[in-house]
Amino acid sequence: MKKLLFLIVLAFSVATSAQYGGIEASTGGFSFVPDFTSEDPHFILSVGTNTDKRLQGHLLSLIRAENLVPRNAIFITRYKFLDKRLKATIGTHLPALQISDDYQVDSFFAQELRTDYGINEKWSLSTMYLHGKGRNNDLEINFGYVGLNYKKGKWNSFSQVWAIDLNNGYGLSQTVSYQIAHKTQLRGFVNKTLSTGNTNMTIGVYRAF
């Protein structure tokens, strides 16, 4: 209960100082590790400070559509130490919380390194490395991806090759979004985990605040 109370207070403090935010109604969930993406319907809340700033704060939370019980909450702090054509940030997930239907909480700490290189006005290349370790559980992962982003008009496409040391997993994923209105996007995601043959996909509608 104390952890849940802390989560609510911290979420409120981040949300009240947010400079961007939105919510997505999705047929599934979201995970930095594509193979972990839930296939159950969720609302996905994202708020944060200006991503153009060097020091940034972000909150990402999945809420189960079935009963409105939060599934997780990730509090991310990032620092942009390169801000040229090549951009790079380091960050911490402090903490990342996984919440069960009966409000049992598993907590994780994680560190990340991200880069983004603008090839031209339409294409950019990005990478991410993430190390996560459970605080009250035994989970520990190393995850990384190389991604290619393409933007033209109202369309945006992000292709990703990823790998994780947990069960030697690796795969391919694709995210496509279309701007159907000023603050509204239609989003689609599909992942193929080549190491197991598993496929998962989601469709959602995102609305910015």
Side-chain angles (χ1 to χ4, degrees):
M1 180 58 71
K2 290 181 179 179
K3 288 183 179 178
L4 184 60
L5 206 59
F6 172 76
L7 165 64
I8 294 171
V9 172
L10 191 54
F12 179 78
S13 65
V14 172
T16 52
S17 60
Q19 294 166 321
Y20 80 85
I23 191 164
E24 179 181 351
S26 175
T27 60
F30 168 83
S31 173
F32 289 109
V33 182
D35 193 41
F36 291 178
T37 301
S38 172
E39 294 184 344
D40 296 326
H42 285 81
F43 297 107
I44 305 170
L45 173 69
S46 56
V47 295
T49 59
N50 193 333
T51 56
D52 292 330
K53 300 291 187 181
R54 284 195 177 272
L55 186 61
Q56 308 163 19
H58 309 275
L59 165 65
L60 178 67
S61 180
L62 273 64
I63 302 167
R64 296 172 175 90
E66 179 183 12
N67 52 19
L68 299 183
V69 173
R71 182 185 184 90
N72 64 21
I74 306 173
F75 301 92
I76 306 170
T77 301
R78 294 187 178 121
Y79 178 74
K80 187 184 297 184
F81 63 91
L82 284 178
D83 194 15
K84 303 294 184 180
R85 189 171 184 177
L86 173 64
K87 303 180 187 300
T89 64
I90 55 173
T92 60
H93 299 195
L94 190 64
L97 304 176
Q98 190 80 22
I99 307 165
S100 68
D101 281 314
D102 56 355
Y103 294 98
Q104 296 298 312
V105 179
D106 286 331
S107 61
F108 307 86
F109 293 137
Q111 305 81 41
E112 65 171 49
L113 172 64
R114 291 170 173 259
T115 66
D116 186 86
Y117 179 75
I119 301 171
N120 54 40
E121 292 183 356
K122 295 181 179 179
W123 294 92
S124 62
L125 182 69
S126 63
T127 66
M128 177 185 181
Y129 167 72
L130 174 73
H131 172 260
K133 183 175 177 61
R135 182 172 177 268
N136 60 348
N137 57 84
D138 296 330
L139 182 66
E140 183 171 6
I141 63 168
N142 291 283
F143 167 78
Y145 76 68
V146 177
L148 187 64
N149 195 79
Y150 174 74
K151 183 175 180 61
K152 183 177 181 180
K154 297 181 178 182
W155 289 95
N156 193 86
S157 172
F158 181 64
S159 306
Q160 185 183 117
V161 180
W162 60 268
I164 185 171
D165 62 352
L166 184 66
N167 298 322
N168 296 315
Y170 59 93
L172 306 170
S173 69
Q174 179 72 45
T175 304
V176 176
S177 64
Y178 178 75
Q179 196 83 27
I180 57 178
H182 174 56
K183 292 186 176 182
T184 307
Q185 287 183 353
L186 182 64
R187 295 178 170 180
F189 165 84
V190 61
N191 170 70
K192 181 69 173 181
T193 302
L194 300 176
S195 54
T196 63
N198 180 53
T199 301
N200 48 340
M201 62 182 65
T202 67
I203 298 174
V205 177
Y206 172 85
R207 176 71 179 179
F209 299 152

